[in-house]
Amino acid sequence: MRDTSVPLSGGKLVVARVLVAEGNPAAAEMVVLVLEHAGYQSMRTVTGRQVLAAALQWHPDLVLLDLDLPDLPGPDVCRRLREMVSAPILAVSTESDPEAAELALACGASDFVRKPFRTVDLLSRIESRLAGTVLGWSGRSGAGAVHDPDIVAPHVDSFDA
């Protein structure tokens, strides 16, 4: 099993939190199951409004953002997320045009993965984006956030805003 913990600024390790924003509920559930099996905490959202609200309340260590959300344009959600959190944003899309990846990166995404993707590739990208993340610098322990590193929250299946 992979080491899915990330260090707090004091050197203590906690399990990394991945916020999943996927417009297709079945695909979202599949990704959450893969992440949980790999040892990550995860929260599932299916709309842009949900992911924006969840990012403020849940303080993820990484956001997996589908650019094809049903209510808001993905690039707009990505820009707003980037303003709100310092966590890496891994944008995903079925769009095969190379300009989609360029747009995602220009909007603040840290990386881009084209769908469909292999599970091993997704986990590798997540792991590489989390490598070197110190939670004292990420969104979880950001301004105004209170986090007790001794309390690890259980998996949260979904977020309704």
Side-chain angles (χ1 to χ4, degrees):
M1 179 182 260
R2 298 171 187 257
D3 179 11
T4 60
S5 57
V6 292
L8 285 169
S9 56
K12 200 169 205 175
L13 296 178
V14 294
V15 175
R17 294 174 163 197
V18 178
L19 177 56
V20 177
E22 168 60 59
N24 178 328
E29 186 60 26
M30 185 272 310
V31 170
V32 164
L33 290 172
V34 166
L35 291 171
E36 287 180 348
H37 185 263
Y40 294 100
Q41 283 185 335
S42 59
M43 177 186 286
R44 161 177 69 103
T45 63
V46 294
T47 69
R49 287 180 181 85
Q50 286 178 345
V51 72
L52 293 170
L56 285 176
Q57 294 178 15
W58 199 58
H59 309 289
D61 299 309
L62 183 137
V63 178
L64 185 63
L65 175 65
D66 178 11
L67 295 177
D68 304 315
L69 296 172
D71 62 336
L72 299 172
D76 292 348
V77 174
C78 189
R79 278 187 205 93
R80 290 174 62 189
L81 279 170
R82 179 49 57 223
E83 293 170 359
M84 297 165 44
V85 300
S86 60
I89 300 169
L90 183 55
V92 296
S93 177
T94 57
E95 182 63 54
S96 61
D97 186 348
E99 290 179 7
E102 292 171 16
L103 177 60
L105 296 173
C107 292
S110 307
D111 202 351
F112 180 86
V113 177
R114 191 162 287 117
K115 290 194 225 175
F117 46 76
R118 294 181 341 149
T119 300
V120 68
D121 294 337
L122 177 65
L123 291 174
S124 177
R125 294 280 186 95
I126 289 171
E127 188 175 304
S128 70
R129 286 294 159 195
L130 288 173
T133 297
V134 176
L135 295 184
W137 298 342
S138 79
R140 186 186 310 185
S141 295
V146 177
H147 175 69
D148 182 344
D150 295 321
I151 299 174
V152 178
H155 159 72
V156 179
D157 186 48
S158 63
F159 187 86
D160 296 317

